[in-house]
Amino acid sequence: MNTRLVASRRYKADASLVIGIALIGIVILMALISLVWTPYNPTQAMPSDRLQGMSADHIFGTDRYGRDTFTWIMYGARITLLVGVVSVAIAALIGVPLGVLAGMTPYGWLSGLIMRGNDLLLAFPALLLAIVFSAVFGPGTGPAMVALGIASIPGFARVARSGTLQVMSTEYIMAARAANRRILPIAVFHVLPNIAGMIIVQASVAFALAILAEAGLSFLGLGTQSPTPSWGRMLQESQQYLSSHPMLALWPGLFIAAAVLGFNLLGDGLRDRFDPKLKGRD
């Protein structure tokens, strides 16, 4: 029975990984192709072609200014990936060292101080923090990325601390400490490699949340600004045409959903792969 359960979980993990990688691959491929080629100029308005349906010339149709929707989808993939990469990098570079420090320090007050600050930051939702940054620094992609990165720090810190506490209780860490090895080498050569899987899973989840949050901010006019293409702003501009031209909202919404689903499935598959309980049953 245990063998069947393990096989079932492995199949689920493999399926999640394959589907997730495929969806993410489509987004990455569009972003890379847009660097060298797009069907049309994304900023060029063609009033004679406004609000056209799907055709051989415009496979996804055109918007109210006559701009090619597929071109905007391709360019929007750049912003989607940029926001995800930068926000996750900010969160990981700050949250992981804090979490490892909180898990390794022999001073209980320091660990408590780090985690209480973490809890305080966790009380501010990502969108609320992004709105505050937009009010202070002005709307744009940069403030949105920084705000989303800061809001994601608590998740990385919690995961890193939890994994560090597990690693620190192992025998080889005790042997390293008995040999008077310093904290930094232990953290770099023993702790980080063993919690890398957990960090990767957290990064994939944070990436999906960043994509969704950036789309929401752009929809509200606080994220990516015109004339830079953004999937969220495409949704905002298409809402007045929902009854007459629903496809204008369908395409950006579909690609936002696909990107978020892709990273969530990737995270699920990686989590099952890195699950120590599953490995212990092999």
Side-chain angles (χ1 to χ4, degrees):
M1 188 67 180
N2 288 339
T3 303
R4 291 183 178 179
L5 179 60
V6 171
S8 176
R9 291 188 63 180
R10 282 181 173 174
Y11 176 80
K12 178 183 176 182
D14 291 340
S16 296
L17 280 173
V18 171
I19 297 174
I21 291 173
L23 292 174
I24 296 169
I26 292 172
V27 177
I28 294 176
L29 184 62
M30 287 194 307
L32 292 177
I33 292 176
S34 71
L35 293 173
V36 295
W37 175 84
T38 53
Y40 296 90
N41 187 331
T43 60
Q44 182 179 359
M46 294 178 285
S48 60
D49 294 337
R50 64 187 303 271
L51 298 176
Q52 287 190 6
M54 299 171 62
S55 65
D57 293 330
H58 304 281
I59 60 174
F60 284 178
T62 60
D63 64 6
R64 59 178 176 172
Y65 299 111
R67 298 173 301 197
D68 182 63
T69 301
F70 183 58
T71 299
W72 267 59
I73 291 292
M74 293 178 68
Y75 264 81
R78 292 191 200 178
I79 298 298
T80 296
L81 295 177
L82 177 64
V83 171
V85 169
V86 173
S87 61
V88 169
I90 291 173
L93 290 175
I94 298 176
V96 172
L98 287 177
V100 172
L101 177 61
M104 293 186 66
T105 180
Y107 306 108
W109 64 269
L110 180 57
S111 177
L113 180 63
I114 293 174
M115 298 316 295
R116 296 299 75 77
N118 193 66
D119 293 339
L120 181 62
L121 185 58
L122 193 62
F124 292 90
L127 284 177
L128 178 60
L129 193 61
I131 291 173
V132 172
F133 268 59
S134 296
V136 175
F137 302 105
T141 307
M145 291 189 296
V146 174
L148 295 175
I150 293 175
S152 300
I153 290 175
F156 282 90
R158 284 174 172 267
V159 169
R161 179 178 180 272
S162 175
T164 300
L165 291 175
Q166 295 178 22
V167 174
M168 293 299 291
S169 64
T170 57
E171 294 182 356
Y172 61 85
I173 293 295
M174 295 180 183
R177 299 179 73 175
N180 291 324
R181 295 202 66 179
R182 296 182 179 275
I183 291 180
L184 184 59
I186 292 177
V188 174
F189 296 109
H190 297 290
V191 175
L192 288 177
N194 283 282
I195 67 172
M198 303 171 65
I199 300 303
I200 293 173
V201 173
Q202 178 63 27
S204 65
V205 174
F207 209 114
L209 294 176
I211 291 173
L212 200 58
E214 191 281 330
L217 289 170
S218 296
F219 183 86
L220 296 173
L222 301 175
T224 304
Q225 300 296 298
S226 181
T228 304
S230 167
W231 292 348
R233 198 152 53 78
M234 291 176 70
L235 282 175
Q236 191 273 335
E237 292 179 355
S238 65
Q239 61 181 337
Q240 59 181 307
Y241 300 101
L242 285 177
S243 59
S244 58
H245 298 83
M247 300 300 288
L248 288 177
L250 173 65
W251 295 119
L254 186 62
F255 278 93
I256 291 171
V260 173
L261 178 62
F263 280 102
N264 280 329
L265 288 176
L266 178 64
D268 287 343
L270 292 175
R271 183 192 59 207
D272 291 340
R273 279 295 186 92
F274 292 127
D275 187 354
K277 295 181 180 179
L278 181 58
K279 290 181 179 180
R281 292 179 180 177
D282 292 351

